[in-house]
PDB file of all heavy atoms in Angstrom:
ATOM      1  N   ILE H 584     -30.410-105.217  22.123  1.00 97.00           N
ATOM      2  CA  ILE H 584     -29.970-105.065  23.506  1.00 97.00           C
ATOM      3  C   ILE H 584     -28.642-104.323  23.575  1.00 97.00           C
ATOM      4  O   ILE H 584     -27.703-104.667  22.824  1.00 97.00           O
ATOM      5  CB  ILE H 584     -29.851-106.442  24.177  1.00 97.00           C
ATOM      6  CG1 ILE H 584     -31.222-107.143  24.237  1.00 97.00           C
ATOM      7  CG2 ILE H 584     -29.269-106.312  25.604  1.00 97.00           C
ATOM      8  CD1 ILE H 584     -31.174-108.534  24.808  1.00 97.00           C
ATOM      9  N   ILE H 585     -28.577-103.344  24.438  1.00 95.00           N
ATOM     10  CA  ILE H 585     -27.366-102.508  24.562  1.00 95.00           C
ATOM     11  C   ILE H 585     -26.749-102.721  25.965  1.00 95.00           C
ATOM     12  O   ILE H 585     -27.400-102.389  26.954  1.00 95.00           O
ATOM     13  CB  ILE H 585     -27.653-101.014  24.400  1.00 95.00           C
ATOM     14  CG1 ILE H 585     -28.402-100.798  23.062  1.00 95.00           C
ATOM     15  CG2 ILE H 585     -26.392-100.198  24.460  1.00 95.00           C
ATOM     16  CD1 ILE H 585     -28.858 -99.357  22.891  1.00 95.00           C
ATOM     17  N   PRO H 586     -25.612-103.350  26.089  1.00 96.00           N
ATOM     18  CA  PRO H 586     -25.002-103.543  27.396  1.00 96.00           C
ATOM     19  C   PRO H 586     -24.769-102.227  28.094  1.00 96.00           C
ATOM     20  O   PRO H 586     -24.445-101.217  27.467  1.00 96.00           O
ATOM     21  CB  PRO H 586     -23.670-104.248  27.063  1.00 96.00           C
ATOM     22  CG  PRO H 586     -23.888-104.906  25.754  1.00 96.00           C
ATOM     23  CD  PRO H 586     -24.802-103.936  24.995  1.00 96.00           C
ATOM     24  N   GLN H 587     -24.926-102.216  29.433  1.00 95.00           N
ATOM     25  CA  GLN H 587     -24.796-100.997  30.231  1.00 95.00           C
ATOM     26  C   GLN H 587     -23.790-101.225  31.363  1.00 95.00           C
ATOM     27  O   GLN H 587     -23.621-102.325  31.858  1.00 95.00           O
ATOM     28  CB  GLN H 587     -26.145-100.610  30.818  1.00 95.00           C
ATOM     29  CG  GLN H 587     -27.222-100.263  29.801  1.00 95.00           C
ATOM     30  CD  GLN H 587     -26.871 -99.012  29.013  1.00 95.00           C
ATOM     31  OE1 GLN H 587     -26.584 -97.970  29.615  1.00 95.00           O
ATOM     32  NE2 GLN H 587     -26.917 -99.120  27.677  1.00 95.00           N
ATOM     33  N   ARG H 588     -23.118-100.085  31.744  1.00 93.00           N
ATOM     34  CA  ARG H 588     -22.256-100.114  32.915  1.00 93.00           C
ATOM     35  C   ARG H 588     -23.121 -99.829  34.143  1.00 93.00           C
ATOM     36  O   ARG H 588     -23.633 -98.735  34.317  1.00 93.00           O
ATOM     37  CB  ARG H 588     -21.135 -99.101  32.794  1.00 93.00           C
ATOM     38  CG  ARG H 588     -20.149 -99.137  33.950  1.00 93.00           C
ATOM     39  CD  ARG H 588     -19.108 -98.013  33.792  1.00 93.00           C
ATOM     40  NE  ARG H 588     -18.319 -98.230  32.620  1.00 93.00           N
ATOM     41  CZ  ARG H 588     -17.217 -98.979  32.596  1.00 93.00           C
ATOM     42  NH1 ARG H 588     -16.804 -99.601  33.709  1.00 93.00           N
ATOM     43  NH2 ARG H 588     -16.533 -99.136  31.463  1.00 93.00           N
ATOM     44  N   ILE H 589     -23.242-100.824  35.015  1.00 96.00           N
ATOM     45  CA  ILE H 589     -24.097-100.735  36.178  1.00 96.00           C
ATOM     46  C   ILE H 589     -23.277-100.834  37.442  1.00 96.00           C
ATOM     47  O   ILE H 589     -22.391-101.694  37.554  1.00 96.00           O
ATOM     48  CB  ILE H 589     -25.180-101.880  36.164  1.00 96.00           C
ATOM     49  CG1 ILE H 589     -26.013-101.798  34.890  1.00 96.00           C
ATOM     50  CG2 ILE H 589     -26.051-101.797  37.406  1.00 96.00           C
ATOM     51  CD1 ILE H 589     -26.804-100.526  34.711  1.00 96.00           C
ATOM     52  N   HIS H 590     -23.593 -99.955  38.407  1.00 95.00           N
ATOM     53  CA  HIS H 590     -22.909 -99.994  39.708  1.00 95.00           C
ATOM     54  C   HIS H 590     -23.700-100.904  40.625  1.00 95.00           C
ATOM     55  O   HIS H 590     -24.895-100.656  40.939  1.00 95.00           O
ATOM     56  CB  HIS H 590     -22.830 -98.602  40.326  1.00 95.00           C
ATOM     57  CG  HIS H 590     -22.150 -98.588  41.633  1.00 95.00           C
ATOM     58  ND1 HIS H 590     -20.805 -98.695  41.796  1.00 95.00           N
ATOM     59  CD2 HIS H 590     -22.653 -98.457  42.916  1.00 95.00           C
ATOM     60  CE1 HIS H 590     -20.470 -98.646  43.067  1.00 95.00           C
ATOM     61  NE2 HIS H 590     -21.591 -98.494  43.749  1.00 95.00           N
ATOM     62  N   ASP H 591     -23.108-102.018  41.033  1.00 96.00           N
ATOM     63  CA  ASP H 591     -23.734-102.961  41.932  1.00 96.00           C
ATOM     64  C   ASP H 591     -23.687-102.444  43.379  1.00 96.00           C
ATOM     65  O   ASP H 591     -22.612-102.263  43.930  1.00 96.00           O
ATOM     66  CB  ASP H 591     -23.023-104.327  41.846  1.00 96.00           C
ATOM     67  CG  ASP H 591     -23.818-105.448  42.452  1.00 96.00           C
ATOM     68  OD1 ASP H 591     -24.298-105.276  43.579  1.00 96.00           O
ATOM     69  OD2 ASP H 591     -23.951-106.537  41.844  1.00 96.00           O
ATOM     70  N   ALA H 592     -24.860-102.199  43.929  1.00 94.00           N
ATOM     71  CA  ALA H 592     -24.925-101.615  45.277  1.00 94.00           C
ATOM     72  C   ALA H 592     -24.414-102.607  46.331  1.00 94.00           C
ATOM     73  O   ALA H 592     -23.946-102.148  47.409  1.00 94.00           O
ATOM     74  CB  ALA H 592     -26.357-101.222  45.592  1.00 94.00           C
ATOM     75  N   GLU H 593     -24.485-103.874  46.077  1.00 93.00           N
ATOM     76  CA  GLU H 593     -24.052-104.860  47.091  1.00 93.00           C
ATOM     77  C   GLU H 593     -22.532-105.078  47.046  1.00 93.00           C
ATOM     78  O   GLU H 593     -21.887-105.198  48.081  1.00 93.00           O
ATOM     79  CB  GLU H 593     -24.785-106.190  46.880  1.00 93.00           C
ATOM     80  CG  GLU H 593     -26.272-106.098  47.160  1.00 93.00           C
ATOM     81  CD  GLU H 593     -26.982-107.405  46.978  1.00 93.00           C
ATOM     82  OE1 GLU H 593     -26.376-108.375  46.390  1.00 93.00           O
ATOM     83  OE2 GLU H 593     -28.133-107.527  47.422  1.00 93.00           O
ATOM     84  N   THR H 594     -21.938-105.116  45.839  1.00 93.00           N
ATOM     85  CA  THR H 594     -20.520-105.345  45.737  1.00 93.00           C
ATOM     86  C   THR H 594     -19.696-104.071  45.723  1.00 93.00           C
ATOM     87  O   THR H 594     -18.493-104.075  45.969  1.00 93.00           O
ATOM     88  CB  THR H 594     -20.179-106.152  44.457  1.00 93.00           C
ATOM     89  OG1 THR H 594     -20.539-105.389  43.297  1.00 93.00           O
ATOM     90  CG2 THR H 594     -20.966-107.469  44.456  1.00 93.00           C
ATOM     91  N   GLY H 595     -20.346-102.959  45.369  1.00 94.00           N
ATOM     92  CA  GLY H 595     -19.634-101.694  45.250  1.00 94.00           C
ATOM     93  C   GLY H 595     -18.780-101.594  43.997  1.00 94.00           C
ATOM     94  O   GLY H 595     -17.989-100.656  43.866  1.00 94.00           O
TER      95      GLY H 595
END
Side-chain angles (χ1 to χ4, degrees):
I584 297 176
I585 306 174
Q587 297 294 307
R588 183 183 296 274
I589 302 299
H590 180 75
D591 193 312
E593 293 182 347
T594 64

